[in-house]
Amino acid sequence: MYKYTEKQFASQFFNMGRLRIGTLHNFRRTEHKRGIVDVDEGKKSVSHHIDVLHIADSQAPENDGNIDFRSLDAFQAVSLNNGSNILFKNVRLTKKIESQDFFVYSTSASRSRKTMREFEGADTCIEIFDPDNFYKLLTKPLNSITPVRFLGVKAVTYKNRSEEWNGVDSGTHPSLIKSTDYIPQFEVRAIWSPLVESTIEPVITAHCRLGEFCREIHL
């Protein structure tokens, strides 16, 4: 994994183990530099279109195999109770989904100058060659600030934030979606869920041993 940053921040990291852990919702703020700001971070919508759906009996067992029928409940569109002889025609169901806020530390799976140019001001590349121990250790100082649960390191999916319903669940979690404009970043993000119900903000944290699992590389 590769972290693209500015020389001054790389020096602080290797000298003191100092780094910044952001939050999902904070990425929406427009004051961030190019490559970081994303006003739609953590948001998506899911839709389903019903051409024609005739419900002779809402309690009939065969309804469970009908994706249109199941969508009415999934989208909380209407309560059928014991309804019968109901007709839906040319109906578009849509629901907006917003992720809870998470702590996020973003890196890239790509090692290249082209990728570094995606991040305004970045002139240094740090390789995390032992991510398991790096994130295990990083979780400790973060926990001392706010109790958290580490959810792992996950690759971002680049796609439209408007999805068609898959008939089962809400699809890709909104915290892992970026628009296709960001594809050259090849982002992977470490995610921590706060264990307290309060607003979270980015934090500056440090651990003197973090640098043991990283090295600066030249591109």
Side-chain angles (χ1 to χ4, degrees):
M1 298 177 188
Y2 304 94
K3 182 69 175 180
Y4 295 98
T5 186
E6 298 177 36
K7 188 70 175 180
Q8 59 175 324
F9 300 132
S11 296
Q12 293 173 6
F13 171 73
F14 283 112
N15 291 332
M16 300 177 288
R18 185 175 185 268
L19 52 75
R20 181 183 186 275
I21 301 177
T23 68
L24 187 69
H25 292 180
N26 184 263
F27 289 150
R28 302 172 184 169
R29 297 185 180 178
T30 56
E31 65 265 25
H32 285 303
K33 292 183 177 180
R34 176 182 52 79
I36 297 176
V37 61
D38 184 347
V39 296
D40 292 319
E41 190 73 69
K43 302 176 183 178
K44 66 176 280 187
S45 65
V46 178
S47 301
H48 178 72
H49 185 79
I50 300 174
D51 289 325
V52 178
L53 171 64
H54 178 245
I55 304 172
D57 178 2
S58 63
Q59 301 301 309
E62 59 266 24
N63 290 331
D64 292 340
N66 187 315
I67 188 172
D68 290 337
F69 180 85
R70 288 187 285 109
S71 72
L72 298 175
D73 180 62
F75 286 77
Q76 299 179 329
V78 62
S79 178
L80 296 175
N81 296 321
N82 294 319
S84 60
N85 198 25
I86 304 171
L87 178 66
F88 294 88
K89 191 172 183 178
N90 194 26
V91 176
R92 184 75 174 174
L93 305 176
T94 300
K95 63 179 177 180
K96 294 183 179 180
I97 303 173
E98 182 170 347
S99 172
Q100 73 171 90
D101 207 1
F102 293 116
F103 287 105
V104 175
Y105 188 72
S106 296
T107 57
S108 174
S110 170
R111 171 183 172 174
S112 72
R113 286 187 173 274
K114 180 180 179 181
T115 303
M116 180 155 38
R117 287 195 292 269
E118 288 290 308
F119 303 95
E120 182 180 356
D123 57 8
T124 304
C125 179
I126 297 173
E127 179 186 23
I128 305 173
F129 60 80
D130 187 351
D132 288 342
N133 282 314
F134 177 84
Y135 287 115
K136 181 178 180 180
L137 192 60
L138 181 55
T139 301
K140 292 182 178 179
L142 181 55
N143 249 322
S144 68
I145 299 171
T146 302
V148 295
R149 179 167 63 94
F150 183 50
L151 301 182
V153 181
K154 305 176 186 295
V156 165
T157 298
Y158 298 96
K159 61 188 295 184
N160 193 308
R161 294 186 188 275
S162 299
E163 295 180 0
E164 290 298 315
W165 187 48
N166 60 20
V168 179
D169 54 30
S170 296
T172 307
H173 196 279
S175 66
L176 296 174
I177 296 177
K178 300 280 284 184
S179 78
T180 54
D181 295 337
Y182 295 88
I183 286 178
Q185 294 184 359
F186 298 96
E187 183 182 353
V188 287
R189 49 180 53 167
I191 302 176
W192 293 263
S193 175
L195 299 180
V196 293
E197 293 186 7
S198 61
T199 302
I200 60 173
E201 295 290 341
V203 298
I204 303 295
T205 188
H207 195 294
C208 61
R209 292 187 56 207
L210 284 173
E212 295 178 12
F213 311 111
C214 307
R215 56 181 165 239
E216 182 178 342
I217 59 174
H218 300 285
L219 302 176

